[in-house]
Amino acid sequence: MVHPYAILGFLAAVLPLVATPGASLALLVQHVTDSGRRQALPVILGTATGLYVHATLAVAGLSALVMHSSQAFTAVKVIGAVYLICLGIWTWRSATASARAPARRHLPVRSASVYTQALLANVLNPKAASIYLTLVPQFIEADHSFDAQILTLATAHALLMTLWLLACSILVRRASRTLRKPRFKRTAAKITAVAFLVLGIRTAAT
């Protein structure tokens, strides 16, 4: 098992990365603003699942292959960038369509769809994979089960991310009166769309 001090050290190291605005936070703000606080749950679950996917790949050695193969790494990076850019375009078009038909009744997005968006946004992010190849090894011991230690740190990472996203969803909820205004929803959606585009372009450029 991982020593408690190692877990605390890992959480302290990963906290700035968790708090940095990214695709998960953008999805959270978008769907909570658009469909209510219940949509925070599939975003959180999708993000946490993505972290476990990276941890599992690290255990299997597949992430190491991607990170050490320039072609494989580039492929993952391009796919992730394209996905974020497409998500940004789709979000912008949805906001524009909503502005053209303000009286139209909004249909809530299915939780399964939100979960899939959050999952793909995390899995297709090579920087998330790099955490388990560069940061995690600094907090595990060679004389203990390698698999169990990685999964333990992944659980700690997922819990920290969950707490962070829950805190953000509470802040969004407290602004519910403003969030219910159609004009604000459209503006927030466009800001989210720009965030996705920027994240996609930055992913492709790095």
Side-chain angles (χ1 to χ4, degrees), residues 132-151:
Y132 290 88
L133 295 169
T134 60
L135 188 59
V136 166
Q138 310 302 319
F139 298 93
I140 60 178
E141 299 179 8
D143 56 347
H144 290 78
S145 173
F146 186 67
D147 299 359
Q149 290 183 86
I150 291 181
L151 292 178

PDB file of all heavy atoms in Angstrom, residues 132-151:
ATOM      1  N   TYR A 132       0.581   9.980 -14.757  1.00  0.00           N
ATOM      2  CA  TYR A 132       0.798   8.633 -14.240  1.00  0.00           C
ATOM      3  C   TYR A 132       2.111   8.031 -14.722  1.00  0.00           C
ATOM      4  O   TYR A 132       2.463   6.916 -14.339  1.00  0.00           O
ATOM      5  CB  TYR A 132      -0.388   7.747 -14.619  1.00  0.00           C
ATOM      6  CG  TYR A 132      -1.618   8.145 -13.845  1.00  0.00           C
ATOM      7  CD1 TYR A 132      -2.473   9.135 -14.323  1.00  0.00           C
ATOM      8  CD2 TYR A 132      -1.897   7.570 -12.623  1.00  0.00           C
ATOM      9  CE1 TYR A 132      -3.579   9.535 -13.591  1.00  0.00           C
ATOM     10  CE2 TYR A 132      -2.995   7.961 -11.876  1.00  0.00           C
ATOM     11  CZ  TYR A 132      -3.838   8.950 -12.371  1.00  0.00           C
ATOM     12  OH  TYR A 132      -4.924   9.353 -11.630  1.00  0.00           O
ATOM     13  N   LEU A 133       2.829   8.765 -15.551  1.00  0.00           N
ATOM     14  CA  LEU A 133       4.122   8.280 -16.029  1.00  0.00           C
ATOM     15  C   LEU A 133       5.283   9.094 -15.477  1.00  0.00           C
ATOM     16  O   LEU A 133       6.417   8.618 -15.454  1.00  0.00           O
ATOM     17  CB  LEU A 133       4.157   8.312 -17.558  1.00  0.00           C
ATOM     18  CG  LEU A 133       3.167   7.355 -18.239  1.00  0.00           C
ATOM     19  CD1 LEU A 133       3.087   7.639 -19.721  1.00  0.00           C
ATOM     20  CD2 LEU A 133       3.579   5.920 -18.009  1.00  0.00           C
ATOM     21  N   THR A 134       5.016  10.306 -15.055  1.00  0.00           N
ATOM     22  CA  THR A 134       6.084  11.166 -14.552  1.00  0.00           C
ATOM     23  C   THR A 134       5.920  11.512 -13.071  1.00  0.00           C
ATOM     24  O   THR A 134       6.898  11.549 -12.323  1.00  0.00           O
ATOM     25  CB  THR A 134       6.148  12.470 -15.370  1.00  0.00           C
ATOM     26  OG1 THR A 134       4.887  13.163 -15.256  1.00  0.00           O
ATOM     27  CG2 THR A 134       6.433  12.178 -16.836  1.00  0.00           C
ATOM     28  N   LEU A 135       4.674  11.771 -12.653  1.00  0.00           N
ATOM     29  CA  LEU A 135       4.441  12.210 -11.276  1.00  0.00           C
ATOM     30  C   LEU A 135       4.202  11.039 -10.327  1.00  0.00           C
ATOM     31  O   LEU A 135       4.800  10.965  -9.245  1.00  0.00           O
ATOM     32  CB  LEU A 135       3.249  13.165 -11.238  1.00  0.00           C
ATOM     33  CG  LEU A 135       2.990  13.876  -9.907  1.00  0.00           C
ATOM     34  CD1 LEU A 135       4.206  14.700  -9.503  1.00  0.00           C
ATOM     35  CD2 LEU A 135       1.761  14.768 -10.015  1.00  0.00           C
ATOM     36  N   VAL A 136       3.343  10.110 -10.730  1.00  0.00           N
ATOM     37  CA  VAL A 136       3.006   8.972  -9.877  1.00  0.00           C
ATOM     38  C   VAL A 136       4.225   8.156  -9.454  1.00  0.00           C
ATOM     39  O   VAL A 136       4.340   7.776  -8.271  1.00  0.00           O
ATOM     40  CB  VAL A 136       1.956   8.074 -10.564  1.00  0.00           C
ATOM     41  CG1 VAL A 136       1.837   6.728  -9.859  1.00  0.00           C
ATOM     42  CG2 VAL A 136       0.596   8.768 -10.573  1.00  0.00           C
ATOM     43  N   PRO A 137       5.162   7.854 -10.361  1.00  0.00           N
ATOM     44  CA  PRO A 137       6.317   7.044  -9.946  1.00  0.00           C
ATOM     45  C   PRO A 137       7.133   7.649  -8.810  1.00  0.00           C
ATOM     46  O   PRO A 137       7.867   6.925  -8.122  1.00  0.00           O
ATOM     47  CB  PRO A 137       7.156   6.964 -11.231  1.00  0.00           C
ATOM     48  CG  PRO A 137       6.162   7.091 -12.329  1.00  0.00           C
ATOM     49  CD  PRO A 137       5.171   8.087 -11.817  1.00  0.00           C
ATOM     50  N   GLN A 138       7.007   8.963  -8.606  1.00  0.00           N
ATOM     51  CA  GLN A 138       7.754   9.606  -7.529  1.00  0.00           C
ATOM     52  C   GLN A 138       7.198   9.271  -6.142  1.00  0.00           C
ATOM     53  O   GLN A 138       7.837   9.554  -5.126  1.00  0.00           O
ATOM     54  CB  GLN A 138       7.732  11.135  -7.722  1.00  0.00           C
ATOM     55  CG  GLN A 138       8.116  11.606  -9.112  1.00  0.00           C
ATOM     56  CD  GLN A 138       9.492  11.135  -9.518  1.00  0.00           C
ATOM     57  OE1 GLN A 138      10.413  11.140  -8.703  1.00  0.00           O
ATOM     58  NE2 GLN A 138       9.647  10.737 -10.772  1.00  0.00           N
ATOM     59  N   PHE A 139       5.993   8.672  -6.107  1.00  0.00           N
ATOM     60  CA  PHE A 139       5.336   8.444  -4.818  1.00  0.00           C
ATOM     61  C   PHE A 139       5.017   6.970  -4.559  1.00  0.00           C
ATOM     62  O   PHE A 139       4.219   6.659  -3.673  1.00  0.00           O
ATOM     63  CB  PHE A 139       4.033   9.260  -4.762  1.00  0.00           C
ATOM     64  CG  PHE A 139       4.243  10.739  -4.846  1.00  0.00           C
ATOM     65  CD1 PHE A 139       4.204  11.386  -6.079  1.00  0.00           C
ATOM     66  CD2 PHE A 139       4.504  11.491  -3.712  1.00  0.00           C
ATOM     67  CE1 PHE A 139       4.407  12.758  -6.176  1.00  0.00           C
ATOM     68  CE2 PHE A 139       4.713  12.859  -3.794  1.00  0.00           C
ATOM     69  CZ  PHE A 139       4.671  13.491  -5.025  1.00  0.00           C
ATOM     70  N   ILE A 140       5.644   6.078  -5.310  1.00  0.00           N
ATOM     71  CA  ILE A 140       5.427   4.650  -5.087  1.00  0.00           C
ATOM     72  C   ILE A 140       6.738   3.989  -4.672  1.00  0.00           C
ATOM     73  O   ILE A 140       7.823   4.507  -4.946  1.00  0.00           O
ATOM     74  CB  ILE A 140       4.855   3.955  -6.349  1.00  0.00           C
ATOM     75  CG1 ILE A 140       5.804   4.091  -7.530  1.00  0.00           C
ATOM     76  CG2 ILE A 140       3.486   4.522  -6.688  1.00  0.00           C
ATOM     77  CD1 ILE A 140       5.309   3.376  -8.773  1.00  0.00           C
ATOM     78  N   GLU A 141       6.624   2.860  -4.005  1.00  0.00           N
ATOM     79  CA  GLU A 141       7.781   2.129  -3.501  1.00  0.00           C
ATOM     80  C   GLU A 141       7.952   0.828  -4.273  1.00  0.00           C
ATOM     81  O   GLU A 141       6.971   0.137  -4.583  1.00  0.00           O
ATOM     82  CB  GLU A 141       7.606   1.834  -2.011  1.00  0.00           C
ATOM     83  CG  GLU A 141       7.479   3.089  -1.157  1.00  0.00           C
ATOM     84  CD  GLU A 141       7.284   2.764   0.306  1.00  0.00           C
ATOM     85  OE1 GLU A 141       7.398   1.567   0.665  1.00  0.00           O
ATOM     86  OE2 GLU A 141       7.013   3.687   1.095  1.00  0.00           O
ATOM     87  N   ALA A 142       9.194   0.499  -4.567  1.00  0.00           N
ATOM     88  CA  ALA A 142       9.481  -0.671  -5.404  1.00  0.00           C
ATOM     89  C   ALA A 142       9.196  -1.984  -4.700  1.00  0.00           C
ATOM     90  O   ALA A 142       8.971  -3.006  -5.352  1.00  0.00           O
ATOM     91  CB  ALA A 142      10.942  -0.636  -5.859  1.00  0.00           C
ATOM     92  N   ASP A 143       9.202  -1.977  -3.371  1.00  0.00           N
ATOM     93  CA  ASP A 143       9.007  -3.231  -2.638  1.00  0.00           C
ATOM     94  C   ASP A 143       7.549  -3.515  -2.297  1.00  0.00           C
ATOM     95  O   ASP A 143       7.247  -4.391  -1.492  1.00  0.00           O
ATOM     96  CB  ASP A 143       9.839  -3.230  -1.357  1.00  0.00           C
ATOM     97  CG  ASP A 143       9.538  -2.034  -0.468  1.00  0.00           C
ATOM     98  OD1 ASP A 143       8.886  -1.089  -0.951  1.00  0.00           O
ATOM     99  OD2 ASP A 143       9.955  -2.052   0.698  1.00  0.00           O
ATOM    100  N   HIS A 144       6.619  -2.766  -2.899  1.00  0.00           N
ATOM    101  CA  HIS A 144       5.191  -3.001  -2.709  1.00  0.00           C
ATOM    102  C   HIS A 144       4.531  -3.222  -4.066  1.00  0.00           C
ATOM    103  O   HIS A 144       5.141  -2.990  -5.107  1.00  0.00           O
ATOM    104  CB  HIS A 144       4.532  -1.826  -1.985  1.00  0.00           C
ATOM    105  CG  HIS A 144       4.928  -1.702  -0.547  1.00  0.00           C
ATOM    106  ND1 HIS A 144       6.133  -1.168  -0.144  1.00  0.00           N
ATOM    107  CD2 HIS A 144       4.280  -2.051   0.588  1.00  0.00           C
ATOM    108  CE1 HIS A 144       6.213  -1.182   1.176  1.00  0.00           C
ATOM    109  NE2 HIS A 144       5.096  -1.718   1.640  1.00  0.00           N
ATOM    110  N   SER A 145       3.289  -3.671  -4.017  1.00  0.00           N
ATOM    111  CA  SER A 145       2.551  -3.944  -5.250  1.00  0.00           C
ATOM    112  C   SER A 145       2.440  -2.690  -6.109  1.00  0.00           C
ATOM    113  O   SER A 145       1.850  -1.692  -5.683  1.00  0.00           O
ATOM    114  CB  SER A 145       1.147  -4.466  -4.920  1.00  0.00           C
ATOM    115  OG  SER A 145       0.378  -4.572  -6.099  1.00  0.00           O
ATOM    116  N   PHE A 146       3.036  -2.747  -7.286  1.00  0.00           N
ATOM    117  CA  PHE A 146       3.041  -1.597  -8.187  1.00  0.00           C
ATOM    118  C   PHE A 146       1.621  -1.243  -8.625  1.00  0.00           C
ATOM    119  O   PHE A 146       1.223  -0.079  -8.628  1.00  0.00           O
ATOM    120  CB  PHE A 146       3.908  -1.928  -9.404  1.00  0.00           C
ATOM    121  CG  PHE A 146       4.118  -0.788 -10.350  1.00  0.00           C
ATOM    122  CD1 PHE A 146       4.855   0.316  -9.971  1.00  0.00           C
ATOM    123  CD2 PHE A 146       3.566  -0.823 -11.623  1.00  0.00           C
ATOM    124  CE1 PHE A 146       5.051   1.382 -10.843  1.00  0.00           C
ATOM    125  CE2 PHE A 146       3.750   0.237 -12.497  1.00  0.00           C
ATOM    126  CZ  PHE A 146       4.495   1.338 -12.107  1.00  0.00           C
ATOM    127  N   ASP A 147       0.840  -2.273  -8.984  1.00  0.00           N
ATOM    128  CA  ASP A 147      -0.518  -2.043  -9.465  1.00  0.00           C
ATOM    129  C   ASP A 147      -1.388  -1.403  -8.387  1.00  0.00           C
ATOM    130  O   ASP A 147      -2.107  -0.430  -8.654  1.00  0.00           O
ATOM    131  CB  ASP A 147      -1.158  -3.368  -9.902  1.00  0.00           C
ATOM    132  CG  ASP A 147      -0.392  -4.030 -11.039  1.00  0.00           C
ATOM    133  OD1 ASP A 147       0.615  -3.443 -11.488  1.00  0.00           O
ATOM    134  OD2 ASP A 147      -0.807  -5.111 -11.482  1.00  0.00           O
ATOM    135  N   ALA A 148      -1.319  -1.944  -7.177  1.00  0.00           N
ATOM    136  CA  ALA A 148      -2.152  -1.440  -6.089  1.00  0.00           C
ATOM    137  C   ALA A 148      -1.806   0.005  -5.746  1.00  0.00           C
ATOM    138  O   ALA A 148      -2.694   0.818  -5.449  1.00  0.00           O
ATOM    139  CB  ALA A 148      -1.995  -2.324  -4.852  1.00  0.00           C
ATOM    140  N   GLN A 149      -0.528   0.336  -5.789  1.00  0.00           N
ATOM    141  CA  GLN A 149      -0.119   1.704  -5.461  1.00  0.00           C
ATOM    142  C   GLN A 149      -0.636   2.707  -6.489  1.00  0.00           C
ATOM    143  O   GLN A 149      -1.118   3.784  -6.136  1.00  0.00           O
ATOM    144  CB  GLN A 149       1.408   1.777  -5.372  1.00  0.00           C
ATOM    145  CG  GLN A 149       1.994   1.059  -4.165  1.00  0.00           C
ATOM    146  CD  GLN A 149       3.500   1.216  -4.086  1.00  0.00           C
ATOM    147  OE1 GLN A 149       4.009   2.192  -3.528  1.00  0.00           O
ATOM    148  NE2 GLN A 149       4.231   0.275  -4.666  1.00  0.00           N
ATOM    149  N   ILE A 150      -0.537   2.356  -7.770  1.00  0.00           N
ATOM    150  CA  ILE A 150      -1.024   3.262  -8.815  1.00  0.00           C
ATOM    151  C   ILE A 150      -2.526   3.467  -8.692  1.00  0.00           C
ATOM    152  O   ILE A 150      -3.027   4.598  -8.786  1.00  0.00           O
ATOM    153  CB  ILE A 150      -0.666   2.719 -10.212  1.00  0.00           C
ATOM    154  CG1 ILE A 150       0.844   2.804 -10.434  1.00  0.00           C
ATOM    155  CG2 ILE A 150      -1.408   3.498 -11.299  1.00  0.00           C
ATOM    156  CD1 ILE A 150       1.290   2.311 -11.798  1.00  0.00           C
ATOM    157  N   LEU A 151      -3.258   2.387  -8.469  1.00  0.00           N
ATOM    158  CA  LEU A 151      -4.711   2.498  -8.342  1.00  0.00           C
ATOM    159  C   LEU A 151      -5.107   3.267  -7.083  1.00  0.00           C
ATOM    160  O   LEU A 151      -6.111   3.992  -7.084  1.00  0.00           O
ATOM    161  CB  LEU A 151      -5.332   1.107  -8.336  1.00  0.00           C
ATOM    162  CG  LEU A 151      -5.227   0.338  -9.662  1.00  0.00           C
ATOM    163  CD1 LEU A 151      -5.842  -1.045  -9.532  1.00  0.00           C
ATOM    164  CD2 LEU A 151      -5.891   1.114 -10.799  1.00  0.00           C
TER     165      LEU A 151
END
